[in-house]
Amino acid sequence: MTVTIKDVAKRANVAPSTVSRVIADSPRISEKTKKKVREAMKELGYHPNFIARSLANKSTQVIGLVMPSSADKAFQNPFFPEVIRGISKAVHDRQYALQLSTGETEAEIYDGVVHMVQGKRVDGVILLYSRANDKIMAYLQKEDVPFVVIGKPHKKAEEITHVDNDNVRAAREATEYLIELGHERIAFVGGNVNLIVTMDRLRGYEKALKSAGLAYRKDYIVHEEFLKEGGQEAMKELLSLAEPPTALVVADDLMALGVLNTLAEMGLSVPGDVSIVSFNNVLLSEISRPPLTSVDINIFQLGFEAARNLIQQIENPNEPIKRIIIPHTLVKRFSCDYYKAPSQ
Amino acid sequence: MTVTIKDVAKRANVAPSTVSRVIADSPRISEKTKKKVREAMKELGYHPNFIARSLANKSTQVIGLVMPSSADKAFQNPFFPEVIRGISKAVHDRQYALQLSTGETEAEIYDGVVHMVQGKRVDGVILLYSRANDKIMAYLQKEDVPFVVIGKPHKKAEEITHVDNDNVRAAREATEYLIELGHERIAFVGGNVNLIVTMDRLRGYEKALKSAGLAYRKDYIVHEEFLKEGGQEAMKELLSLAEPPTALVVADDLMALGVLNTLAEMGLSVPGDVSIVSFNNVLLSEISRPPLTSVDINIFQLGFEAARNLIQQIENPNEPIKRIIIPHTLVKRFSCDYYKAPSQ
DNA sequence: TTGTAGGCGTTATCAG
DNA sequence: CTGATAACGCCTACAA
């Protein structure tokens, strides 16, 4: 039925092993036979069987991708298509394939990962998120599976290859930008508290306040997820304080969109009444109203480097642990303005 | 190194084939030996090797997913995470894995698909989009690979299993809703003209106009992609007509978001000056300003059914061709209002 | 009910 | 430079 290496071998009057070598483009085969074999392959319409190769090789040329729980609204974040685009790019040239984790709940996803790892379906794994006490990460580490995480591991970051932004600095700079504009009452609107990226950005925000000599107020820190039902409450509370903030540092663009709309509903204008700076600089930030000032974290690059380094790690077992920091830049649009003292 | 079926066999004092049968839960093995073998598996930490199984079986339990070109902004559409969520759900229970097509350009993606099909890496394929003259679809058909498309195939739809909405009807109903509100000057803002879904929705729009006795005007049809640089131009032109439309049927929520912002920039209010109804009802439509009236097309279900049917097709070779229509419903929010004659 | 043996399509190790 | 031959880990007749 399917044409195999043997058929090609017969057709070209050589041994199967020779055909195999031609496929691998071994330098120890004469150009003449190579040509002969290649012709036979063409004529028969031969295509190597990856599965058989994998079995013999103990290498699948497949990389597993682990997304956060799809039950989570975070799944809808445009961050993911974009990292995947980067990963896909890096992976395509080197002939690797991508396999996606499946399942809705955390438990299901965990099982899925165990399955694809134990079943030897993948050579390595990329974790597309990083949060505190992640079972999957612990598992991968225990099993000594090649993997890289996008984001900073919660613990033992120096033992795990990861690709990240300097989120502390990014957040500090974003906050400093607002300070430069004259704002003194700046609030922080974070996402899921378990995500390391949230923690880091919060720390950067803190640092900026501190070095500017501004007070760090607990009531200025909000961690609701604005995309959830009723998530607007915390936002409303924040702006009903006796001394409401005049500027917000928002965890990411999708959340910023939610914030933008809550503000509009409350009759507050951006950047007129409140300035906003957010993160990620996805498509959304351009087409929002007003277009968002956002920290571009080079999502594509995050994915690209993660994949590139994972492949290196797979192909070279004693590749050292690495920490790769992708640069960021503040993209100024129209969601920030100078602080204006309220006209009494 | 790795523990195989043989190791388990020795440990349990049975033949490898017996172990194999236990894995498959063959009814022709006594409960007693089953238990014995299972204990041995546990003790040794055995996990079946999927690759080896695939080779022997000629079945990989993997489904390939083909996304549109990631060079395309369409890639950022929240439609995709959501279909994938549905697919993932359907696939997880039945122990199938998902493989993603890689590559940026169309040519790269085509190559990728050929690779994964010829390399026997997948048992079947789901096409996550449908457009006119798609090389990939033609290829899959020619090679007789089990596949299903999400959306309606351009040609020979009766020969290809597909999962779709009745987009013609959906668009007609959406348009009729605007007509009921008193609108007579209704424009259509479509996405990529090559996508079948765009064509169908345009047809539905046309039908609604026709049966309401309203004129179908060419200058009311716009097909720019609003997410592109300069895509707002067509929009502006549309609204600068001598008789500008008072309502818009917009291809999908993401585009609607862009339209919303272009309108705001032009100083037009929604739904005050212009009413908008769009499609897909993704998260975005809830958090946009105003929240969008949108046709819910049950994206999750589209993915779920596609996967379910593909698996049936894979496991039962003479499964008939099917056309599955997922129901839709108009979700009314705040982007539509009654037509108000302009105060002279 | 269970064991034996051959095969799935490649690659790798030896010879030559 | 090329050819046998034995794996890779599992499945499935066919036997027993």
Side-chain angles (χ1 to χ4, degrees):
Chain A
M1 186 64 236
T2 53
V3 25
T4 80
I5 216 173
K6 287 182 188 168
D7 303 316
V8 178
K10 275 182 197 154
R11 189 85 150 95
N13 283 316
V14 295
S17 47
T18 303
V19 177
S20 173
R21 291 188 186 105
V22 173
I23 294 172
D25 200 22
S26 159
R28 335 191 304 179
I29 294 283
S30 73
E31 276 310 319
K32 202 171 136 197
T33 43
K34 272 189 188 174
K35 191 186 282 181
K36 194 172 55 178
V37 170
R38 288 195 179 119
E39 270 170 17
M41 299 199 306
K42 275 243 170 77
E43 288 169 14
L44 298 178
Y46 169 78
H47 284 274
N49 181 321
F50 261 101
I51 301 295
R53 174 182 291 202
S54 295
L55 186 59
N57 266 346
K58 293 169 159 307
S59 120
T60 60
Q61 302 259 106
V62 177
I63 287 176
L65 257 39
V66 183
M67 316 256 300
S69 162
S70 70
D72 206 324
K73 294 281 186 189
F75 196 72
Q76 289 268 348
N77 202 304
F79 174 86
F80 295 105
E82 186 66 6
V83 236
I84 290 181
R85 202 167 68 82
I87 293 172
S88 167
K89 171 71 172 171
V91 134
H92 187 83
D93 312 325
R94 299 166 155 281
Q95 301 261 53
Y96 272 71
L98 292 180
Q99 189 149 324
L100 229 52
S101 64
T102 62
E104 281 189 316
T105 66
E106 271 184 52
E108 280 181 3
I109 295 176
Y110 179 81
D111 284 357
V113 172
V114 171
H115 253 78
M116 74 181 177
V117 167
Q118 307 282 28
K120 302 271 187 294
R121 292 226 222 210
V122 299
D123 291 342
V125 170
I126 300 180
L127 239 54
L128 263 41
Y129 63 87
S130 171
R131 69 168 160 228
N133 305 110
D134 189 47
K135 275 182 67 181
I136 296 180
M137 203 174 83
Y139 167 76
L140 294 174
Q141 210 170 4
K142 190 188 60 160
E143 294 294 315
D144 207 33
V145 180
F147 77 102
V148 352
V149 358
I150 292 182
K152 190 172 70 186
H154 184 37
K155 291 173 180 172
K156 306 189 189 165
E158 63 290 347
E159 294 175 21
I160 299 168
T161 291
H162 60 282
V163 181
D164 195 12
N165 302 105
D166 186 340
N167 278 304
V168 177
R169 207 159 72 92
R172 203 182 66 193
E173 288 171 10
T175 310
E176 281 168 355
Y177 173 63
L178 292 171
I179 295 174
E180 279 166 24
L181 290 177
H183 292 279
E184 299 193 333
R185 300 206 306 271
I186 304 170
F188 180 85
V189 181
N192 188 320
V193 222
N194 292 311
L195 294 177
I196 312 303
V197 62
T198 302
M199 304 181 189
D200 278 357
R201 287 179 185 166
L202 178 57
R203 272 189 37 225
Y205 157 84
E206 263 182 69
K207 279 196 179 180
L209 292 191
K210 217 163 269 178
S211 52
L214 294 175
Y216 172 75
R217 306 171 46 162
K218 276 218 170 131
D219 54 357
Y220 272 14
I221 311 297
V222 171
H223 272 303
E224 277 305 303
E225 292 187 52
F226 284 86
L227 306 174
K228 278 196 198 147
E229 208 89 40
Q232 309 184 330
E233 292 318 309
M235 196 64 226
K236 287 185 180 163
E237 255 178 59
L238 180 62
L239 289 151
S240 314
L241 291 174
E243 291 185 319
T246 64
L248 305 175
V249 175
V250 182
D252 75 56
D253 294 333
L254 189 54
M255 284 186 74
L257 199 66
V259 169
L260 231 34
N261 295 321
T262 305
L263 291 175
E265 226 173 68
M266 298 176 66
L268 292 171
S269 94
V270 176
D273 299 313
V274 181
S275 286
I276 291 184
V277 45
S278 67
F279 293 83
N280 291 14
N281 194 34
V282 295
L283 181 56
L284 244 38
S285 63
E286 286 177 54
I287 63 174
S288 84
R289 175 168 23 117
L292 292 165
T293 290
S294 180
V295 179
D296 188 333
I297 59 169
N298 276 303
I299 302 178
F300 180 90
Q301 209 62 24
L302 282 170
F304 187 85
E305 288 300 327
R308 215 172 59 81
N309 280 279
L310 177 57
I311 293 178
Q312 276 181 20
Q313 201 173 320
I314 289 169
E315 296 182 349
N316 175 4
N318 35 35
E319 186 78 8
I321 304 294
K322 278 186 200 158
R323 178 184 177 217
I324 293 136
I325 298 299
I326 304 296
H328 60 266
T329 50
L330 183 68
V331 177
K332 296 176 188 171
R333 294 205 182 82
F334 308 100
S335 60
C336 295
D337 202 352
Y338 288 103
Y339 168 68
K340 286 181 290 286
S343 44
Q344 292 280 29
Chain B
M1 189 60 239
T2 53
V3 25
T4 82
I5 216 174
K6 285 182 189 168
D7 303 316
V8 177
K10 274 183 199 153
R11 188 84 150 96
N13 284 317
V14 295
S17 51
T18 304
V19 178
S20 174
R21 290 187 185 108
V22 173
I23 294 173
D25 200 22
S26 159
R28 340 191 300 180
I29 294 284
S30 73
E31 277 308 320
K32 202 172 136 198
T33 43
K34 271 189 189 172
K35 190 186 284 182
K36 194 172 58 180
V37 169
R38 286 196 180 120
E39 269 169 19
M41 297 199 308
K42 275 242 172 79
E43 287 169 15
L44 298 178
Y46 170 78
H47 284 274
N49 181 320
F50 260 100
I51 299 296
R53 173 183 291 204
S54 296
L55 186 60
N57 270 345
K58 291 169 160 304
S59 119
T60 60
Q61 303 258 105
V62 178
I63 287 176
L65 257 39
V66 184
M67 316 255 301
S69 162
S70 70
D72 206 324
K73 294 280 187 188
F75 196 72
Q76 290 268 347
N77 202 305
F79 174 87
F80 295 105
E82 186 65 5
V83 237
I84 290 181
R85 202 167 69 83
I87 294 173
S88 167
K89 171 71 171 171
V91 132
H92 186 84
D93 312 326
R94 300 166 154 280
Q95 301 261 52
Y96 273 71
L98 293 179
Q99 189 148 323
L100 230 52
S101 66
T102 63
E104 280 189 316
T105 66
E106 270 184 53
E108 280 180 2
I109 294 176
Y110 179 81
D111 284 357
V113 172
V114 171
H115 253 79
M116 74 183 177
V117 168
Q118 307 281 30
K120 301 271 187 295
R121 292 226 223 211
V122 298
D123 291 342
V125 170
I126 300 179
L127 240 53
L128 263 40
Y129 62 87
S130 171
R131 68 167 162 229
N133 304 112
D134 189 47
K135 275 183 67 182
I136 296 180
M137 204 174 83
Y139 167 77
L140 293 173
Q141 211 169 4
K142 190 189 58 158
E143 294 293 316
D144 205 35
V145 180
F147 77 103
V148 353
V149 357
I150 292 182
K152 190 172 71 185
H154 184 35
K155 291 174 181 169
K156 308 191 189 164
E158 63 289 347
E159 294 175 22
I160 298 169
T161 290
H162 58 283
V163 181
D164 196 12
N165 303 104
D166 186 341
N167 279 304
V168 176
R169 206 160 73 92
R172 205 183 63 192
E173 288 171 9
T175 311
E176 281 168 354
Y177 173 62
L178 293 170
I179 295 174
E180 279 166 25
L181 291 177
H183 292 278
E184 299 193 333
R185 300 207 305 272
I186 304 170
F188 180 85
V189 180
N192 188 320
V193 222
N194 292 312
L195 294 178
I196 311 304
V197 62
T198 302
M199 303 183 188
D200 279 357
R201 288 179 183 165
L202 178 56
R203 273 188 38 223
Y205 156 85
E206 263 183 68
K207 280 197 175 179
L209 292 190
K210 217 163 269 178
S211 51
L214 295 175
Y216 172 76
R217 308 170 46 161
K218 277 221 169 127
D219 54 357
Y220 272 14
I221 312 296
V222 170
H223 271 302
E224 278 304 303
E225 293 186 50
F226 284 86
L227 305 175
K228 277 194 199 150
E229 208 89 39
Q232 310 184 330
E233 292 316 309
M235 196 63 226
K236 288 185 181 163
E237 254 178 59
L238 179 63
L239 289 151
S240 314
L241 290 175
E243 291 185 318
T246 65
L248 306 174
V249 175
V250 182
D252 75 56
D253 294 333
L254 189 54
M255 283 186 72
L257 199 67
V259 169
L260 231 34
N261 296 321
T262 307
L263 289 175
E265 225 173 68
M266 296 175 69
L268 293 172
S269 94
V270 176
D273 299 313
V274 181
S275 286
I276 290 183
V277 45
S278 67
F279 295 83
N280 291 14
N281 192 36
V282 295
L283 180 57
L284 243 39
S285 63
E286 287 178 53
I287 63 175
S288 84
R289 176 169 22 118
L292 292 165
T293 290
S294 181
V295 179
D296 189 333
I297 59 170
N298 275 304
I299 303 178
F300 180 90
Q301 210 60 25
L302 283 169
F304 187 85
E305 288 301 326
R308 213 172 61 81
N309 280 279
L310 177 58
I311 292 177
Q312 275 181 21
Q313 200 173 320
I314 289 170
E315 296 181 349
N316 174 3
N318 34 36
E319 187 78 8
I321 304 294
K322 280 187 199 157
R323 177 185 177 217
I324 292 135
I325 298 299
I326 304 296
H328 60 265
T329 51
L330 182 67
V331 176
K332 295 176 188 172
R333 294 205 183 83
F334 308 101
S335 60
C336 295
D337 203 352
Y338 289 103
Y339 168 68
K340 288 181 289 287
S343 43
Q344 289 281 27

